[in-house]
Amino acid sequence: MPTLAAPPTQELIKRFEQLRAQTEAICAPLEPEDTVVQPMVDVSPPKWHMAHTTWFFEQFVLQPHRKGYKVFHPSYGFLFNSYYNTVGNRVQRAERSTLTRPPLREVYAYRRYVNEQINELLATADEDTVAAFLPVLELGLQHEQQHQELLITDIKYILSTNPLLPAYHQSKKESASASPGEATFLEVPGGVYTIGYRGHDFCFDNELGVHDVLLADFRVMNRLVTNGEYLEFIKAGGYTDFRYWLDEGLALVRTAGLKAPLYWVEQDGEWMVYTLHGLEKLDLNKPVSHISFYEAQAYASWSGKRLLTEFEWEAAAQVYPPQPGNFLESGQLEPSVAKATSGLQQLYGDTWEWTYSAYHPYPGFSTAPGALGEYNGKFMINQMVLRGGSCATSFSHIRTTYRNFFHPDKRWQYSGIRLAE
């Protein structure tokens, strides 16, 4: 991680408090019963998210750097450790819904306690101490933002499994959205492009290992694929035609009975979609989302195009300044229609974009010592890279070199398609 310059104490305290409050604001519309549900192993209960992000600060900032610090509860390290083997045993991921205790009120008390201790540490520590823990504190803040995005996507999946299909919050009634216009393809010249993070602020270790790649000429779609365009794939029998699918993807379609993106529901011949605002009529002009890598690849094959590699994605962002789309800060919590009239639209925000790149380390990547070395490196196998952020991502959290990664069958994230040729 690059060396970070320490901001003024009050500025750092304010940012810490704002990010921590944002997590609780995301959970505020939930009932207590909503916060303990885990309908599939990929989803964690919201109560667990709130406690785990708090444990991160307690484990990696307060215990090493706050003299005389007393943990809030001696069992919380076991309950709320996620995957850090270096730290010790933990409740397994699939069993997080068993944590009906501690009660929600105690989790909020835990958050208040740790917040107070972090603020006291920031207010009293000398410059050398701050310099020692600042990189880990920053990692904790970025980690909290990652979990805010996971909270949005997990809450959506949790509520979608409730027979009542409840709304997380009500959206304003809007007329049908305007068309994003015909898709065009922008030229990206071939050549040598430098890939990886080269700045001086925060980045994750998987963005490091700056290196050059040689790319051929290619063209990139100016916007994301829409629901209407994806619906044509469905109507053309795309889910039943083996010619467009990778073998593993076709097996998934057949065993899981996939016929459309996650959250799409056909009622009386009309397509509806579950959103965080409840069940709504499918807006054909909005970007398609909640699809697996296999579905994105099959659609690209059907359309006679392909997916970008992650290096092409980053090169396109260097050639065409990204025009941000819709982020968490808008409060929409669903992808929106492309609004720009030229350039490379929605490269940031709205939906994560599947790439045809396996999640591997960059040249020279090395795993950091200790528990924090488990953050990214050990997951660099059997996953695909996504780029660009989504409507559940914070705008301050994304950058051109950011590498997200999921297994190719995953659909509960806001994942979509940008084509290349």
Side-chain angles (χ1 to χ4, degrees):
M1 192 162 54
T3 302
L4 303 178
T9 299
Q10 289 306 312
E11 180 182 318
L12 191 54
I13 290 174
K14 181 179 180 181
R15 179 163 169 255
F16 173 79
E17 291 177 341
Q18 287 176 337
L19 284 179
R20 295 283 286 167
Q22 178 66 36
T23 300
E24 296 181 22
I26 290 170
C27 294
L30 301 177
E31 298 295 340
E33 294 82 357
D34 297 326
T35 69
V36 295
V37 179
Q38 186 180 22
M40 69 171 177
V41 69
D42 295 314
V43 165
S44 294
K47 185 174 76 173
W48 183 91
H49 281 292
M50 287 193 287
H52 165 70
T53 51
T54 304
W55 167 85
F56 190 97
F57 287 108
E58 182 175 64
Q59 176 68 37
F60 297 118
V61 179
L62 290 173
Q63 290 193 60
H65 301 287
R66 178 85 164 125
K67 187 176 181 180
Y69 177 75
K70 294 181 179 181
V71 297
F72 182 81
H73 192 287
S75 296
Y76 279 15
F78 172 71
L79 297 181
F80 302 123
N81 177 6
S82 54
Y83 53 70
Y84 297 95
N85 295 307
T86 306
V87 175
N89 293 329
R90 60 196 182 278
V91 172
Q92 294 303 301
R93 184 174 186 175
E95 299 172 354
R96 291 171 185 172
S97 64
T98 64
L99 301 179
T100 56
R101 304 293 176 91
L104 184 60
R105 64 178 179 276
E106 191 168 317
V107 169
Y108 279 113
Y110 181 35
R111 290 181 66 86
R112 289 193 298 271
Y113 175 78
V114 168
N115 288 356
E116 291 168 359
Q117 292 290 320
I118 289 288
N119 283 340
E120 184 68 17
L121 175 62
L122 289 172
T124 59
D126 57 38
E127 289 185 7
D128 290 341
T129 303
V130 172
F133 70 70
L134 182 61
V136 182
L137 179 69
E138 180 61 38
L139 179 62
L141 295 172
Q142 300 285 335
H143 170 259
E144 184 108 8
Q145 288 186 301
Q146 288 181 315
H147 277 270
Q148 289 168 0
E149 177 164 354
L150 286 169
L151 270 167
I152 295 296
T153 52
D154 288 2
I155 288 168
K156 184 174 183 177
Y157 192 86
I158 288 167
L159 296 181
S160 78
T161 64
N162 187 306
L164 298 176
L165 295 178
Y168 169 73
H169 68 66
Q170 297 296 330
S171 62
K172 297 179 181 179
K173 296 296 181 182
E174 297 179 353
S175 57
S177 61
S179 170
E182 290 295 322
T184 60
F185 284 79
L186 308 178
E187 302 281 349
V188 180
V192 175
Y193 288 86
T194 301
I195 302 298
Y197 185 76
R198 290 175 281 173
H200 300 287
D201 295 321
F202 174 86
C203 76
F204 289 108
D205 59 359
N206 64 3
E207 301 169 61
L208 295 175
V210 175
H211 60 288
D212 291 338
V213 298
L214 177 62
L215 301 176
D217 295 345
F218 67 96
R219 300 202 300 163
V220 57
M221 191 171 172
N222 67 319
R223 59 166 171 77
L224 297 169
V225 171
T226 66
N227 288 323
E229 290 164 340
Y230 197 85
L231 184 57
E232 292 303 311
F233 168 66
I234 296 174
K235 290 179 177 178
Y239 276 86
T240 59
D241 194 328
F242 69 90
R243 294 176 298 168
Y244 308 124
W245 294 84
L246 296 172
D247 188 61
E248 284 187 359
L250 186 63
L252 175 67
V253 166
R254 289 174 173 173
T255 57
L258 302 185
K259 298 179 180 179
L262 183 64
Y263 302 127
W264 284 32
V265 181
E266 191 172 18
Q267 292 184 344
D268 301 322
E270 182 176 45
W271 283 102
M272 308 291 288
V273 60
Y274 179 76
T275 74
L276 281 167
H277 316 304
L279 194 64
E280 298 180 341
K281 182 178 179 180
L282 182 69
D283 189 329
L284 301 181
N285 293 319
K286 291 184 177 181
V288 65
S289 64
H290 298 293
I291 60 171
S292 66
F293 166 81
Y294 297 125
E295 290 165 294
Q297 183 277 330
Y299 175 85
S301 178
W302 170 80
S303 65
K305 310 296 182 184
R306 63 176 178 83
L307 301 180
L308 293 155
T309 68
E310 69 164 318
F311 308 120
E312 288 175 330
W313 191 98
E314 194 165 323
Q318 294 176 25
V319 174
Y320 298 96
Q323 299 185 29
N326 176 31
F327 287 92
L328 174 64
E329 286 81 357
S330 75
Q332 294 184 42
L333 305 182
E334 294 294 336
S336 59
V337 180
K339 296 179 175 61
T341 57
S342 63
L344 200 54
Q345 305 165 38
Q346 301 173 304
L347 201 68
Y348 288 170
D350 285 304
T351 77
W352 287 101
E353 301 173 24
W354 284 110
T355 73
Y356 214 129
S357 292
Y359 180 50
H360 289 162
Y362 284 169
F365 176 86
S366 61
T367 301
L372 294 179
E374 299 184 57
Y375 202 100
N376 281 313
K378 69 182 184 181
F379 301 112
M380 292 175 171
I381 184 68
N382 296 332
Q383 309 205 60
M384 304 302 287
V385 174
L386 302 93
R387 293 296 197 107
S390 79
C391 58
T393 309
S394 292
F395 179 72
S396 63
H397 186 66
I398 200 64
R399 59 196 157 270
T400 302
T401 57
Y402 195 113
R403 306 172 76 202
N404 201 356
F405 52 94
F406 287 106
H407 289 98
D409 62 318
K410 303 309 178 189
R411 310 206 302 164
W412 96 110
Q413 291 297 313
Y414 288 95
S415 49
I417 311 171
R418 186 182 299 274
L419 297 174
E421 61 180 16

